[in-house]
Amino acid sequence: PVVDYDFSESEEENLVEQLAKEEKEHEEFQKDLNPHILNTFVENEEYLKKQQKKEMRDSDEVTVNMIKEVQELLARFGIPYITAPMEAEAQCAELLKLKLVDGIITDDSDVFLFGGDRVYKNMFHEKHYVEFYSGQDIERELGLSQQKLIELAQLLGSDYTEGLKGIGPVNSMEILTHFGDLASFRDWFIEGQFDIGKQQSEDGFLKSLRKKMVKNNVLLDQGFPDRRIEQAYLQAEGDRDKTEFGWGSPDLDRIRTFLMTSVGWGQERVDQVLVPLIRDLNKKKAQGTQSTLGEFYPVDSFNQRKKKRTLKLKKK
């Protein structure tokens, strides 16, 4: 509701005089205020601002300001970056196809659906080993090409689809193995949906699968599998510029300023972390040597993990 106040001229003049008086009293109060107390107010305000920034950095939600800060920090380190027009995983897969990068670091399994290869997982988890996944290994050992992985996603769910209720990883692999593709799976289900005789002739895996789908109210029509989901992965939008990345040199002064103003570190802590790091980077640059991921992390490939599991089973 809109409230309209109508004052007389005398009332309006009184209000103006009252406001002027209060403003003058406030100015006198500030002059008489103890400088120590005033400084305390300022320090508390700065502390609260720092705490607010820290809480924003620790939150799970990524804000536009956080993205800008990361980009700014990368620029000051001389590290090149690009902004993906759509999905980050799709862009990473595209950069690998263009041979502009050697691998992809992500914990998001959707990267495989976009055609991602040479994927490093758990890179930023201190309590886990870094895992390495090769697309060739996955297809050779599990029979899952990019197309099959997309079909698997339509059964299990992904960012673009909810999947089929009650159908887990084991059932999904059984479906792809038995039917070959999702269209055949759909036709089987629809043909026997109202055919009691056909249902009674089914046994074993098919009977159990149909029973589970009916129990979970799963309905399939000619729109399954959804071709739009397939195209979203196969024809994902990305930056396809083949220009190679150019690396710059870290700017210690600019990095120090950024960490002190944006992160709230003191100069002593900044220098304690940065000086050895930048000294090492400059040394490697002068020697013409570049560290690889293998020098920092014990990487387990798919085949190595499979051999380890086989050995454990044999011991038991």
Side-chain angles (χ1 to χ4, degrees):
V2 178
V3 181
D4 184 14
Y5 293 100
D6 188 12
F7 297 104
S8 65
E9 291 184 8
S10 60
E11 288 176 327
E12 190 172 347
E13 289 176 359
N14 290 334
L15 283 172
V16 173
E17 290 178 2
Q18 182 66 26
L19 289 172
K21 183 180 179 182
E22 290 178 0
E23 186 175 351
K24 187 175 181 180
E25 289 176 352
H26 180 68
E27 289 176 357
E28 293 296 329
F29 170 76
Q30 282 188 318
K31 290 179 182 178
D32 296 337
L33 193 64
N34 188 318
H36 173 71
I37 298 176
L38 186 60
N39 290 336
T40 303
F41 285 157
V42 174
E43 290 173 0
N44 286 341
E45 185 178 5
E46 291 177 354
Y47 172 77
L48 291 173
K49 286 181 179 178
K50 288 181 180 179
Q51 283 296 108
Q52 185 181 27
K53 283 186 178 181
K54 183 179 184 301
E55 289 175 2
M56 289 180 66
R57 289 196 305 271
D58 294 342
S59 67
D60 293 333
E61 184 179 354
V62 178
T63 64
V64 174
N65 189 56
M66 289 178 184
I67 295 173
K68 289 181 178 179
E69 287 186 345
V70 170
Q71 292 174 337
E72 177 66 20
L73 188 58
L74 290 173
R76 296 187 185 208
F77 266 104
I79 301 174
Y81 66 87
I82 65 171
T83 302
M86 290 295 289
E87 296 287 348
E89 288 73 26
Q91 184 62 64
C92 289
E94 186 62 35
L95 291 175
L96 193 67
K97 292 174 186 175
L98 294 172
K99 301 186 184 304
L100 296 177
V101 297
D102 298 317
I104 301 171
I105 299 173
T106 181
D107 289 344
D108 193 334
S109 57
D110 268 15
V111 68
F112 298 108
L113 307 179
F114 288 110
D117 195 3
R118 299 190 60 78
V119 176
Y120 295 84
K121 186 180 178 184
N122 295 332
M123 181 67 74
F124 305 110
H125 295 272
E126 295 181 1
K127 295 182 180 180
H128 294 83
Y129 284 104
V130 174
E131 297 176 358
F132 171 74
Y133 293 89
S134 163
Q136 292 180 347
D137 287 346
I138 293 174
E139 184 168 2
R140 181 176 60 252
E141 300 295 333
L142 300 176
L144 293 174
S145 61
Q146 182 185 3
Q147 181 67 44
K148 289 296 182 184
L149 285 167
I150 294 173
E151 291 184 351
L152 197 63
Q154 297 218 40
L155 295 171
L156 291 172
S158 70
D159 289 347
Y160 294 158
T161 175
E162 293 182 356
L164 303 184
K165 186 178 179 181
I167 302 299
V170 174
N171 282 148
S172 296
M173 289 296 293
E174 290 174 336
I175 289 170
L176 293 181
T177 301
H178 184 89
F179 293 100
D181 57 69
L182 295 185
S184 299
F185 164 61
R186 172 203 63 206
D187 293 341
W188 160 79
F189 182 77
I190 293 176
E191 289 170 4
Q193 191 171 4
F194 302 106
D195 189 335
I196 303 300
K198 190 174 184 63
Q199 292 181 19
Q200 291 177 343
S201 66
E202 296 171 351
D203 56 8
F205 165 66
L206 294 180
K207 186 174 183 179
S208 174
L209 177 61
R210 187 181 295 279
K211 183 178 180 181
K212 177 177 288 189
M213 293 176 68
V214 171
K215 179 182 178 181
N216 288 285
N217 297 317
V218 176
L219 297 176
L220 300 180
D221 55 26
Q222 293 300 324
F224 182 86
D226 193 333
R227 298 302 174 189
R228 296 172 299 176
I229 295 172
E230 179 181 312
Q231 293 306 307
Y233 287 117
L234 294 177
Q235 299 179 6
E237 184 179 350
D239 186 338
R240 292 176 172 79
D241 188 349
K242 296 182 181 179
T243 305
E244 294 185 359
F245 293 112
W247 291 73
S249 299
D251 189 323
L252 178 58
D253 290 334
R254 294 182 65 217
I255 298 171
R256 181 189 288 121
T257 302
F258 176 85
L259 293 176
M260 291 174 65
T261 57
S262 298
V263 182
W265 285 9
Q267 183 170 340
E268 183 179 351
R269 183 181 180 187
V270 172
D271 290 347
Q272 184 181 4
V273 174
L274 283 182
V275 172
L277 173 63
I278 293 180
R279 186 185 294 122
D280 185 56
L281 289 173
N282 289 334
K283 180 181 178 181
K284 284 183 168 57
K285 186 176 181 180
Q287 295 174 346
T289 59
Q290 183 176 351
S291 301
T292 63
L293 288 173
E295 294 179 30
F296 293 96
Y297 300 100
V299 177
D300 262 356
S301 70
F302 179 88
N303 284 331
Q304 288 173 328
R305 289 194 301 278
K306 183 180 177 184
K307 288 177 181 177
K308 288 179 181 178
R309 286 196 295 269
T310 303
L311 290 173
K312 287 181 181 179
L313 288 173
K314 287 181 178 178
K315 287 180 181 179
K316 291 179 180 180

